[in-house]
Amino acid sequence: MLKKPFVTKEQLEAICEQYPTPFHLYDEAGIRQTARNLYKAFSWNKGFKEYFAVKATPNPTILKILHEEGCGTDCSSLTELMMSEKCGIVGDEIMFSSNDTPAEEFIKAKELGAIINLDDITHIDFLKETAGIPERICCRFNPGGVFELGTDIMDNPGDAKYGMTRPQLTEAYKRLKDLGAKEFGLHAFLASNTVSNEYYPELARILFEVAVEIKEETGVELSFINLSGGVGIPYTPDKEPNNIFVIGEGVRKAFEEVLVPAGLGDVKIFTELGRFMLAPNGHLVTRAIHEKHTHKEYIGVDACAANLMRPAIYGAYHHITVMGKEDAPCDHKYDVTGSLCENSDKFAVDRMLPEVEMGDLLVIHDAGAHGFSMGYNYNGRLRSSEILLKEDGSAKMIRRAETPEDYFATLEGFWE
């Protein structure tokens, strides 16, 4: 699949006249279309709702756009809860999924009326003592072992710190029911960033079968099942993207085959698709500012791992377009590097690109999720701005770049 930027060189040059590189650029039209496609794909389920993972792209403007398209938020911290509240997203439009959760966060989630998703059976007593057991509650399931699709191992849930075992799940629902809970949900996350139309239907079937067993064992009839995240995107151009309509139909088939015969045909389906919703709809825009010819050929850009950590910490691939040279032959091999004092601060290693000249604009693709949000201040580097490319083609800053004053602001007495 050919990866094309959602912005032209001319548009980008105009934006750069107003906002200096580097910056994250988000495509409002693409975000809205992705949300609409998701809702259309699951329109067969009356109670369907997407809870966007705030951790992926924690910007209020993005959250409000998604909220206008019917999405709630998936929160996992106090500040994410506060951001949701400030955006007017409260009550059952928030799913609070956290682990090793401080008491103040449970208290805030309960205050907002959020759906609290318990990660561990010991959290029942902790929640009871700190905030009280709400009438609506959810439990997170971890089946253990490895998760396979066909002959491919997709991930290793048994090695993940999240969720309860199957016996704990039954005990948890019994206890929560005895403690006054009246509405129950089930949540699970078995694999990350799957580029497979089969993952979600297979996960759904597993959870649907567990829901039937829970009903038989405890008398608890689940009212919602949250399939969580895991539907990924093709970071490399050789892969075909997931088809959300095929995925939705696969989940519907499992729903009809497992839940409907068990009298659970009213179960609402929830999703938490942070990466799928935002990653392709965000670019990291940077400019070539240095070239180096030593043991390898290097292109130095004005962005660094502080702006996009995934390549540095995971060795993750992010496609790069040299703007204005989309049709030029990729006949130069480069490492594309940032300025951090870490050799892992590379956006690309041995990447074949067109010849890069100083001043060229580079678009780093699929940076709309887990891009800005994972940024940090190592080396005293400052986080860059976030810009929204609006549907009318204009650009709007939705987060300013950090300044040295921001960096020093938490140092007591530094300027005295």
Side-chain angles (χ1 to χ4, degrees):
M1 183 191 74
L2 184 64
K3 283 188 178 287
K4 293 183 178 180
F6 53 72
V7 65
T8 66
K9 182 176 186 288
E10 291 70 31
Q11 282 179 298
L12 209 48
E13 290 285 10
I15 294 170
C16 290
E17 287 180 11
Q18 191 173 4
Y19 308 110
T21 56
F23 54 79
H24 283 82
L25 182 69
Y26 303 103
D27 179 21
E28 180 182 1
I31 293 168
R32 290 189 185 277
Q33 191 58 56
T34 303
R36 290 168 190 175
N37 287 345
L38 174 63
Y39 271 86
K40 188 175 179 182
F42 283 87
S43 60
W44 54 267
N45 185 264
K46 286 185 293 185
F48 174 78
K49 194 167 188 70
E50 157 66 13
Y51 289 84
F52 175 72
V54 178
K55 66 181 76 68
T57 318
N59 188 292
T61 300
I62 301 297
L63 300 188
K64 287 176 182 177
I65 289 171
L66 289 167
H67 192 225
E68 289 171 7
E69 298 297 337
C71 303
T73 53
D74 157 38
C75 298
S76 56
S77 69
L78 179 63
T79 49
E80 290 180 356
L81 288 168
M82 293 168 68
M83 186 179 290
S84 293
E85 181 183 22
K86 189 73 172 175
C87 291
I89 304 170
V90 296
D92 62 6
E93 289 199 300
I94 299 175
M95 175 74 63
F96 181 65
S97 297
S98 176
N99 65 94
D100 293 331
T101 310
E104 64 177 350
E105 298 187 0
F106 275 138
I107 292 168
K108 182 64 175 179
K110 178 111 180 312
E111 172 195 316
L112 291 177
I115 301 171
I116 294 175
N117 181 30
L118 295 177
D119 182 68
D120 186 65
I121 195 166
T122 63
H123 290 187
I124 296 175
D125 286 337
F126 187 77
L127 179 63
K128 177 173 173 282
E129 293 163 8
T130 56
I133 302 296
E135 290 193 352
R136 181 179 53 233
I137 196 79
C138 186
C139 292
R140 189 170 191 175
F141 172 48
N142 184 332
V146 296
F147 179 74
E148 299 174 288
L149 275 179
T151 58
D152 295 327
I153 294 176
M154 307 298 286
D155 220 322
N156 186 5
D159 200 37
K161 65 176 181 175
Y162 312 109
M164 307 181 199
T165 67
R166 180 62 187 82
Q168 287 175 339
L169 204 58
T170 297
E171 179 62 25
Y173 285 120
K174 287 178 178 176
R175 291 199 57 210
L176 288 165
K177 187 179 179 182
D178 290 343
L179 289 169
K182 293 181 170 57
E183 184 181 351
F184 302 88
L186 175 64
H187 177 287
F189 175 85
L190 302 189
S192 178
N193 193 40
T194 61
V195 187
S196 165
N197 292 329
E198 286 75 48
Y199 167 63
Y200 239 28
E202 182 63 24
L203 168 65
R205 189 174 294 274
I206 291 169
L207 297 187
F208 295 166
E209 289 171 353
V210 169
V212 174
E213 294 168 4
I214 293 295
K215 179 184 176 182
E216 293 169 352
E217 294 169 9
T218 67
V220 166
E221 293 192 17
L222 298 179
S223 66
F224 62 89
I225 294 176
N226 190 330
L227 302 179
S228 183
V231 175
I233 64 157
Y235 284 96
T236 56
D238 59 316
K239 291 180 181 174
E240 283 296 316
N242 286 319
N243 186 322
I244 198 62
F245 297 102
V246 172
I247 290 170
E249 177 58 22
V251 175
R252 185 200 64 77
K253 188 170 183 289
F255 188 95
E256 296 287 343
E257 291 176 359
V258 180
L259 288 184
V260 172
L264 293 170
D266 291 329
V267 168
K268 297 186 282 287
I269 301 300
F270 297 160
T271 57
E272 296 173 348
L273 299 178
R275 190 191 314 261
F276 178 82
M277 300 293 284
L278 252 294
N281 296 311
H283 295 330
L284 174 57
V285 180
T286 185
R287 200 178 285 278
I289 58 172
H290 287 288
E291 57 185 319
K292 185 173 182 175
H293 315 285
T294 54
H295 305 291
K296 301 183 78 172
E297 294 295 301
Y298 295 97
I299 294 296
V301 297
D302 57 7
C304 65
N307 308 109
L308 179 65
M309 284 186 67
R310 296 187 73 256
I313 61 175
Y314 302 133
Y317 179 97
H318 280 262
H319 198 63
I320 297 175
T321 296
V322 183
M323 299 302 289
K325 301 180 180 180
E326 293 86 348
D327 299 322
C330 294
D331 53 4
H332 286 63
K333 184 189 288 187
Y334 297 115
D335 282 14
V336 180
T337 69
S339 59
L340 295 188
C341 300
E342 288 288 337
N343 198 44
S344 61
D345 182 21
K346 297 179 178 181
F347 294 112
V349 175
D350 294 333
R351 184 74 57 86
M352 298 305 296
L353 294 169
E355 183 178 9
V356 179
E357 298 170 276
M358 296 305 91
D360 278 351
L361 282 171
L362 277 62
V363 158
I364 302 177
H365 290 254
D366 302 316
H370 309 291
F372 179 94
S373 65
M374 292 178 73
Y376 64 140
N377 288 126
Y378 182 63
N379 265 173
R381 293 296 170 188
L382 305 174
R383 292 178 179 86
S384 52
S385 61
E386 293 182 294
I387 312 297
L388 181 69
L389 179 65
K390 298 175 69 174
E391 288 184 291
D392 63 7
S394 64
K396 173 188 175 185
M397 184 165 65
I398 58 176
R399 189 194 301 265
R400 67 165 173 81
E402 286 182 337
T403 65
E405 288 74 23
D406 295 319
Y407 181 74
F408 296 128
T410 55
L411 295 172
E412 291 294 328
F414 181 73
W415 294 115
E416 291 177 5

